Amino acid sequence: MKRGRTGGLLSLIVVFELSAFALLAFRNGALDPDAFITAGILFAVFAGSYALLTAAFRHLDGFLLIIVYALISVGMVVQYRINPDIAYKQLIAVAIGVAAMAFVMIFFRKPERLNSLKLCAVVMVGAAGFLALPLAIGSVQGGAKNWIDLGFFSLQPGELVKIALIYALAVYLSERTKLKKLIPVGVFVLCLMALLVLERDLGAALIYAGVIAAMYYAATGNVWITAAGLGVGAGAAALCYALFSHVRARVAAWKNPWSSYYGGGYQIAQGLMAIASGGLFGLGLNLGMPKVIPAYHTDYIFAVICEEMGIIVGFCVIALYVLLLIRGMSIALDASDRFSALLALGCTVYIALQAFIILGGIIKLIPLTGVTLPFVSYGGSSMLTGLVAIAILEVVAAQNGRRREGEREF
Amino acid sequence: MSESAYEIAALTMRYWFAALMVFLLWRIVRAVLRDYAAQRTARKADTGYSLGMLEVVSPETDERGRPHALYGRRFALKRENRIGRARGADIRVTCGRVAPYQASIFQKGNRVMLSDLGGKEGVLLNGKPLSEDTPLIDGDEISVGNVTFVLHLLSAGPAKRRPDSPRGERLQQSMAEGRDGEQPETEDSWSPWARYAAGGDDDGESGELPCEPDGDGWDDDGDAYASAEDGGDGIEEAYEDEEDENTYGSAEEDGGAYRRRRRWRR
């Protein structure tokens, strides 16, 4: 079956991106050529990768790429509006991420080949070591010691290790469902969680726990063990609440941000005010005051989008994540073998859960946990991880398409 | 451009952005829905596809001697079929000791493969436990729990036949007994070892078969075993189990090899 054509949708994204950058080019009274250059490079990255991948894969899921490119363009526009310098850095991250995505898709066409315990053992040891690095040489940002500063850029191992976690769980759960045989991956998972708690990266720990629970449930269908695991997770969350003062402050700020407006509730209150002041259509690009919100370009970028571009665009961003979730789940359901299905499910759950955690935190649906909004927030590690996850989904989608066509090549 | 002119431009453009994003979203949703409809059509077309079927040949009778409910039933094979106790299994086998998903029959390339998912030697292919994924051919016998299926493939199957298939053993048996004339002409061209057997070289496998366990203590763990053997003349014998009066129908028509079937504890 031929996939639906999505090239027209890409041109819509390009129109959006070019018109937004053209508007931003005039904001300081004089023409700013850098805006056009940024828009041009972004356009080249999108169009080039789209053309390359559609040529290389007959069964490419174009919708995933379109959704991701739409999210990236919204993020780039807002970042350029906030500060051109971080937009340039983000542009480099997008280019690296798209290149990594194309690399993964072209060189790992057959996911079954990666389904080996030996490779999995190497990945598990490497990932645990990588995640432990910030404890030794990391730097502290926002109460969490989860960064490695490499001079010209900083790296967040907690992001990249998500892919390793999904891979290890898929390898183990695809063939084994008995708890006794899952001990190696269980030890690995517990190590990761312990490291994340030591680094105080509780947002990532929450995402890891969600991915583990979803993949375990999907692989075994065992309601009781999954429920017990979620219960243990809830217990651990309660323990974190008792242990860490900043968790208590977050929950208090969630209950009533206005009571501690000048303290812990400031960020949530500012975010809510930004969303409210934007209204349906927003204040207009460059006419709002996003810089009063802490973490305006990373975690709180959704509030900036709502303030300047309006709740309608904000709603579209949420809807794009929902569509991503639907497409990812349908790819996972379609997959021909358990390993691919679990890989696709893990990647989908990771992106959707991370988006839910931060969007829910911003609109005061759940207590705020500082994670990035995938593909939109500023952050190279987050962008790279998200695009590699999309690459895995695309590989599985391409395999599904080949199987449906009845090609004998796998 | 002056500041007020920029303000007017930005205030106007926000409607454009909102309209563009909503239009984009609508186009994506519409395309996704169309794609989903096309996939469903493709899936419906896919359900007409069948590799072949499995036919239950054993057990013939239940414990009261009446015809067994499963006997003679036929199951169409899809591209991937899981056999087991679970409700989600494509072919449910609930009698005997069967894992929730005990076996899988699936298409791989142009071959049809059998895989043991339970991993406890609970699947027998032509009476032998499965050690790895094995390609199947037409006429293979697959036992799960105490149910035995015969595979009927629609496609030609692999070019190479395995010597240990029942058809092969049947042929070997009959040839060893000197009944060459009864063999159809079409079947004697494919098998070099059949000529080997016809050459009268008795490999000790055909003819004389032990019918008692060799006493190496396999009853120690309380498992009961039934051994089935017939002399290649197609007689089927039923063995009564003293413990709980289960009937074993041995549908092995080939009789080429001594085979024992392990019964799984309930």
Side-chain angles (χ1 to χ4, degrees):
Chain A
M1 187 197 68
K2 188 89 181 76
R3 288 272 173 209
R5 293 207 186 100
T6 45
L9 297 173
L10 185 69
S11 61
L12 271 180
I13 292 173
V14 170
V15 167
F16 167 78
E17 178 220 325
L18 287 178
S19 58
F21 274 103
L23 176 66
L24 285 176
F26 292 102
R27 62 176 163 174
N28 292 328
L31 189 65
D32 174 18
D34 293 347
F36 289 108
I37 295 171
T38 311
I41 295 173
L42 197 59
F43 167 67
V45 169
F46 286 170
S49 60
Y50 188 83
L52 172 73
L53 293 176
T54 42
F57 292 91
R58 223 156 62 80
H59 303 289
L60 188 84
D61 191 328
F63 300 108
L64 278 181
L65 281 188
I66 292 296
I67 291 167
V68 168
Y69 288 172
L71 290 171
I72 292 177
S73 348
V74 172
M76 282 297 297
V77 167
V78 174
Q79 272 152 31
Y80 193 85
R81 175 258 172 273
I82 291 169
N83 184 353
D85 289 336
I86 64 169
Y88 302 146
K89 280 191 183 171
Q90 180 77 348
L91 188 60
I92 294 170
V94 169
I96 293 174
V98 169
M101 177 175 76
F103 177 83
V104 170
M105 285 175 67
I106 288 168
F107 287 95
F108 299 105
R109 276 171 182 252
K110 293 171 185 172
E112 283 161 41
R113 286 192 189 160
L114 297 176
N115 189 359
S116 89
L117 278 180
K118 280 181 194 165
L119 181 66
C120 183
V122 173
V123 167
M124 288 201 294
V125 172
F130 188 46
L131 191 60
L133 271 182
L135 284 178
I137 54 168
S139 53
V140 179
Q141 275 185 25
K145 190 179 183 182
N146 56 354
W147 291 85
I148 304 173
D149 204 344
L150 293 176
F152 51 99
F153 68 95
S154 47
L155 206 63
Q156 202 173 6
E159 289 285 343
L160 295 171
V161 170
K162 281 169 192 161
I163 299 293
L165 173 79
I166 292 166
Y167 167 71
L169 282 172
V171 168
Y172 271 88
L173 289 171
S174 62
E175 275 155 27
R176 303 157 189 80
T177 49
K178 293 247 162 49
L179 278 180
K180 216 161 67 181
K181 291 185 176 174
L182 292 174
I183 285 175
V185 79
V187 170
F188 170 66
V189 160
L190 286 179
C191 276
L192 294 189
M193 296 301 262
L195 284 170
L196 287 175
V197 171
L198 280 178
E199 291 168 11
R200 309 266 171 105
D201 193 352
L202 300 180
L206 193 57
I207 295 165
Y208 281 39
V211 168
I212 293 162
M215 287 180 74
Y216 181 78
Y217 179 68
T220 62
N222 192 327
V223 182
W224 295 111
I225 293 181
T226 312
L230 289 177
V232 170
L239 194 68
C240 285
Y241 181 78
L243 281 180
F244 300 125
S245 60
H246 73 275
V247 177
R248 280 196 296 276
R250 288 278 170 84
V251 175
W254 168 62
K255 273 154 61 183
N256 187 357
W258 310 104
S259 69
S260 57
Y261 178 73
Y262 292 105
Y266 181 75
Q267 189 176 21
I268 296 178
Q270 282 296 340
L272 290 175
M273 284 198 280
I275 294 171
S277 66
L280 272 186
F281 292 98
L283 296 172
L285 267 183
N286 212 34
L287 299 180
M289 290 170 35
K291 292 196 179 174
V292 298
I293 316 169
Y296 48 85
H297 61 299
T298 55
D299 298 355
Y300 253 71
I301 195 159
F302 182 71
V304 182
I305 293 171
C306 285
E307 181 182 15
E308 299 216 324
M309 305 178 90
I311 288 173
I312 292 178
V313 175
F315 169 77
C316 289
V317 168
I318 296 177
L320 287 176
Y321 282 109
V322 174
L323 283 173
L324 193 66
L325 176 68
I326 293 171
R327 288 305 292 182
M329 284 295 175
S330 78
I331 288 173
L333 286 174
D334 249 14
S336 52
D337 57 309
R338 281 166 65 84
F339 178 65
S340 314
L342 285 171
L343 273 183
L345 177 92
C347 292
T348 311
V349 168
Y350 139 60
I351 294 171
L353 189 64
Q354 182 159 343
F356 172 74
I357 287 173
I358 186 61
L359 290 173
I362 290 173
I363 62 175
K364 207 169 88 64
L365 186 69
I366 54 174
L368 178 66
T369 315
V371 294
T372 54
L373 187 58
F375 309 116
V376 181
S377 286
Y378 171 71
S381 311
S382 161
M383 180 67 75
L384 184 62
T385 312
L387 285 171
V388 170
I390 292 296
I392 294 172
L393 281 172
E394 290 283 11
V395 164
V396 177
Q399 194 190 32
N400 296 346
R402 285 202 301 269
R403 181 182 58 107
R404 187 150 281 158
E405 291 268 295
E407 288 176 20
R408 307 293 193 201
E409 61 171 280
F410 68 96
Chain B
M1 195 191 286
S2 72
E3 210 157 285
S4 59
Y6 176 80
E7 262 187 49
I8 293 167
L11 286 175
T12 319
M13 289 280 273
R14 58 188 189 161
Y15 300 112
W16 161 247
F17 292 140
L20 201 59
M21 286 302 286
V22 170
F23 183 61
L24 175 68
L25 186 69
W26 176 64
R27 286 287 304 272
I28 295 179
V29 168
R30 201 183 58 165
V32 166
L33 286 178
R34 272 188 193 164
D35 187 67
Y36 182 68
Q39 271 190 35
R40 278 188 60 181
T41 316
R43 217 171 276 156
K44 272 182 191 156
D46 205 36
T47 52
Y49 181 88
S50 178
L51 294 177
M53 66 174 181
L54 283 181
E55 185 178 2
V56 179
V57 295
S58 162
E60 281 189 50
T61 53
D62 60 12
E63 56 262 37
R64 294 187 194 153
R66 293 176 307 199
H68 196 277
L70 276 178
Y71 179 71
R73 264 193 74 180
R74 293 165 177 190
F75 297 94
L77 292 176
K78 296 179 280 186
R79 274 187 217 274
E80 185 177 354
N81 314 267
R82 285 187 294 176
I83 307 173
R85 178 182 292 279
R87 214 162 275 166
D90 300 293
I91 299 170
R92 273 190 90 186
V93 175
T94 51
C95 40
R97 191 175 174 191
V98 183
Y101 294 102
Q102 181 73 64
S104 170
I105 297 176
F106 56 97
Q107 185 180 14
K108 187 173 190 182
N110 56 1
R111 292 182 304 177
V112 180
M113 307 287 288
L114 175 67
S115 165
D116 190 346
L117 304 173
K120 283 192 175 173
E121 298 188 349
V123 182
L124 305 181
L125 174 61
N126 302 322
K128 297 181 190 73
L130 210 64
S131 55
E132 57 186 353
D133 292 6
T134 312
L136 295 174
I137 60 170
D138 192 41
D140 271 342
E141 287 180 359
I142 298 153
S143 307
V144 175
N146 51 18
V147 176
T148 303
F149 302 93
V150 165
L151 177 72
H152 302 281
L153 282 184
L154 289 177
S155 62
K160 250 171 119 179
R161 286 175 183 277
R162 272 196 340 266
D164 59 343
S165 71
R167 280 175 82 178
E169 286 175 6
R170 255 198 305 280
L171 188 65
Q172 187 179 21
Q173 176 80 24
S174 56
M175 284 193 158
E177 289 174 6
R179 289 187 287 161
D180 290 322
E182 294 177 19
Q183 284 304 314
E185 282 295 306
T186 50
E187 286 207 354
D188 66 359
S189 60
W190 49 263
S191 173
W193 53 263
R195 298 217 176 95
Y196 167 75
D201 187 1
D202 190 1
D203 54 6
E205 284 267 309
S206 55
E208 296 155 15
L209 302 168
C211 50
E212 288 295 321
D214 43 17
D216 56 1
W218 11 302
D219 280 338
D220 287 355
D221 56 357
D223 272 352
Y225 290 85
S227 61
E229 175 273 318
D230 50 26
D233 48 5
I235 295 174
E236 290 159 16
E237 298 168 19
Y239 285 80
E240 281 298 306
D241 186 1
E242 297 85 1
E243 278 177 23
D244 51 5
E245 298 190 346
N246 256 350
T247 306
Y248 280 82
S250 71
E252 263 56 85
E253 289 177 90
D254 47 83
Y258 169 70
R259 57 191 58 196
R260 61 193 195 198
R261 202 176 303 149
R262 186 170 173 189
R263 188 169 60 92
W264 300 96
R265 230 175 290 147
R266 267 167 219 274

